[in-house]
Amino acid sequence: MILQGLLRSWDGHCPAAESRVSVARITAAASPLFAQLTLSGDKSVSIRRALLSLYTPDTIRLTNFGAGEDCETALRCLVSLGKRVERGEVFVTIKHRETVRKATLDCRNSGTTARLLMGVLAGRDGEWTLEGDESLSNRPMERVAQPLRTMGAQIELSPGGVLPARLIGRPLVGTDHNLTLSSAQVKSALLLAGLSANGATRVREPFPSRDHTERLLGLAQDADGWWSVDKSNVPDATLVLRGTIPGDISSAAFWAVAASLVTGSDIELKNVVLNPTRTSWIRSLKNSGADIVERVERTTAGEPAGSLHFKYGVLRPLRITTQDVPGLIDEIPALAVLAATIDGESIFENVGELRLKESDRLQAIVEGLAEMGADVSVTGQNLHVTGGKKRKGVKISPNHDHRIAMAFALAGLVAEGVTTIEQAECAAVSYPGFFADLKKMAENSVTLSE
Ligand code: S3P
């Protein structure tokens, strides 16, 4: 398929097929889940590699590019910015088409695309408008715009600090950013802006968030925690080209939770990103007694990658500390569902950021789990989930939030009665084959309808 001008829908297995599923009904799994899966490329890594093509006129070829809609969104934005994108079964090829100086970029549901593009475009000659869907148009953008302005960027946000945003590319000046929030999107936007700034740009964050951008740019962190970037770090296209993008570690987490929920389960995943800044959920589950074997087998696309093997086991309550949160922020909905089945009180510290994701995930977790009969509360920024009680199937309307839809689908595997997930097609934002894979593992417990 050639994506030029307007992008057409995907071929084959992914979003098109899944987007026909609009309601998923789940009942308790009567037998263990067994599966061996290979996941499509990690969303964060795929989007970054795609956006880096904007720094070179050379042709970029990416292997195992993420299948989700957010990854497609990044490709669509590249087309609007003058690239020609060809998408086959395995490869995505990105070529220079024309120089564009003015564009409106529809970032749809993808916060990563929007925020990273702000960094890329701030120093790029031209006039740019960034917009998004209803969910993205409610998410805070000042956290990126404000530090970019200190570098000389001209960015106008809509009232309330949200999209649509208007950027006029300006010469940027390298600046130090000592962030008070650990956000990989903010950090990456600043580092990407630093690639076109005069002088060095340095970024430091309180606790480590995912470091995919730093790896792609070949950066090293100094002893005081600063990442530093300048024009000399613009990557060589051949470097960006190297290696297959390993499978999505955040999608993998759903299967770890599924295996920990259903007695006797055994699920293996091949070639997943095993970057330590993304695997704190594995460490937390293991601390609670989960049977997880993680094997780093290679480095590909600058990322450690390998297999994961999850087996059922009885767990102790989870204890997620402030320091863990940036590394597992996207996994909290699934971990909270798991916590609701564990005897005792699990605590997730300082998870206020969940309110600012694709939906207010803290509210969705609290309301959904409470309705299912779990004992769940928020004190300050901390989430408390006490499991042990029987949970009952309920209807979940996930506000078009992919991770809420998938997390509560798993809750249905161990609830009494039927759990109905509405808007199930939203899983395609990150994991288009999720419900199909779930049905393969639990054929008699999962009914999918349009
Ligand atoms: C992401 C960073 C995280 C995460 C998001 C992907 C990234 O967001 O929640 O799904 O690819 O950089 P924040 O930077 O807002 O924490």
Side-chain angles (χ1 to χ4, degrees):
M1 178 192 327
I2 296 180
L3 314 172
Q4 196 177 16
L6 250 191
L7 184 129
R8 283 180 291 126
S9 61
W10 303 65
D11 314 283
H13 151 118
C14 289
E18 184 77 12
S19 61
R20 286 198 297 270
V21 174
S22 58
V23 179
R25 289 187 183 78
I26 326 281
T27 53
S31 48
L33 311 179
F34 293 115
Q36 284 198 331
L37 293 175
T38 307
L39 301 170
S40 95
D42 187 82
K43 177 157 88 78
S44 291
V45 176
S46 296
I47 293 175
R48 282 162 171 76
R49 282 162 69 93
L51 296 186
L52 275 176
S53 72
L54 292 167
Y55 292 87
T56 174
D58 293 348
T59 297
I60 304 280
R61 200 163 202 227
L62 304 171
T63 311
N64 197 35
F65 189 76
E69 287 171 357
D70 274 5
C71 296
E72 180 195 351
T73 295
L75 295 181
R76 283 178 185 241
C77 289
L78 294 184
V79 172
S80 306
L81 287 165
K83 296 287 182 182
R84 178 188 173 93
V85 178
E86 295 166 8
R87 184 159 175 75
E89 277 287 299
V90 186
F91 299 113
V92 168
T93 308
I94 305 167
K95 295 180 178 162
H96 176 74
R97 190 183 79 235
E98 59 179 318
T99 303
V100 170
R101 295 270 177 252
K102 190 170 183 170
T104 295
L105 304 158
D106 185 358
C107 302
R108 303 200 295 179
N109 198 242
S110 178
T112 305
T113 302
R115 291 184 176 138
L116 270 56
L117 270 179
M118 284 173 81
V120 173
L121 298 175
R124 196 179 170 96
D125 187 21
E127 284 181 44
W128 318 107
T129 302
L130 297 179
E131 52 189 34
D133 68 7
E134 200 188 324
S135 148
L136 186 57
S137 302
N138 275 310
R139 297 181 64 187
M141 294 295 150
E142 197 60 59
R143 54 180 60 194
V144 189
Q146 186 275 327
L148 284 172
R149 286 190 200 109
T150 66
M151 299 174 74
Q154 187 174 336
I155 303 175
E156 239 176 76
L157 299 176
S158 296
V162 295
L163 297 183
R166 191 151 170 273
L167 282 79
I168 299 186
R170 289 262 180 256
L172 302 180
V173 183
T175 308
D176 280 0
H177 305 278
N178 197 4
L179 304 176
T180 50
L181 173 78
S182 294
S183 159
Q185 292 177 353
V186 174
K187 175 180 62 174
S188 298
L190 297 171
L191 293 173
L192 292 171
L195 291 178
S196 51
N198 285 319
T201 296
R202 297 196 310 157
V203 185
R204 185 161 75 166
E205 56 187 346
F207 301 113
S209 65
R210 64 194 74 189
D211 64 359
H212 306 302
T213 306
E214 296 88 309
R215 285 171 183 265
L216 270 171
L217 301 181
L219 308 183
Q221 195 172 28
D222 76 12
D224 296 322
W226 290 99
W227 296 100
S228 179
V229 70
D230 61 35
K231 286 182 174 166
S232 70
N233 296 106
V234 173
D236 189 315
T238 51
L239 187 108
V240 180
L241 269 171
R242 219 172 29 214
T244 297
I245 301 172
D248 195 300
I249 181 75
S250 293
S251 300
F254 288 101
W255 302 124
V257 167
S260 298
L261 287 171
V262 181
T263 311
S265 295
D266 186 318
I267 301 177
E268 259 184 286
L269 304 177
K270 298 216 174 75
N271 197 29
V272 182
V273 166
L274 293 176
N275 177 327
T277 62
R278 297 287 297 282
T279 52
S280 56
W281 61 267
I282 297 179
R283 295 188 285 281
S284 298
L285 285 181
K286 280 184 164 175
N287 286 342
S288 290
D291 184 348
I292 301 180
V293 178
E294 176 189 353
R295 263 196 208 98
V296 178
E297 288 151 357
R298 64 188 76 83
T299 299
T300 166
E303 296 287 338
S307 63
L308 283 172
H309 194 167
F310 311 124
K311 285 189 193 161
Y312 174 77
V314 175
L315 303 191
R316 298 182 291 279
L318 305 174
R319 182 71 205 227
I320 307 296
T321 64
T322 303
Q323 202 164 333
D324 298 328
V325 170
L328 49 66
I329 186 78
D330 292 339
E331 284 64 67
I332 292 173
L335 294 177
V337 158
L338 178 60
T341 68
I342 299 173
D343 267 333
E345 186 187 26
S346 291
I347 301 173
F348 300 77
E349 280 177 16
N350 261 312
V351 291
E353 269 293 300
L354 287 177
R355 293 199 185 278
L356 305 172
K357 294 294 176 185
E358 286 84 327
S359 70
D360 180 341
R361 287 186 177 157
L362 197 51
Q363 188 182 346
I365 290 168
V366 169
E367 284 179 7
L369 288 181
E371 228 185 302
M372 292 186 98
D375 184 354
V376 52
S377 62
V378 176
T379 48
Q381 302 288 310
N382 297 349
L383 169 69
H384 303 255
V385 183
T386 303
K389 290 191 207 150
K390 275 267 173 242
R391 286 147 316 277
K392 54 180 188 297
V394 294
K395 190 187 279 184
I396 299 288
S397 182
N399 275 321
H400 304 280
D401 184 329
H402 53 133
R403 299 197 201 281
I404 295 299
M406 294 189 278
F408 279 96
L410 300 183
L413 293 172
V414 287
E416 277 177 350
V418 182
T419 299
T420 302
I421 309 294
E422 296 181 326
Q423 305 158 1
E425 71 283 355
C426 68
V429 164
S430 62
Y431 189 168
F434 173 80
F435 282 102
D437 284 346
L438 182 63
K439 186 158 176 63
K440 273 186 228 144
M441 284 182 226
E443 177 69 42
N444 298 326
S445 304
V446 180
T447 310
L448 306 177
S449 51
E450 287 181 26

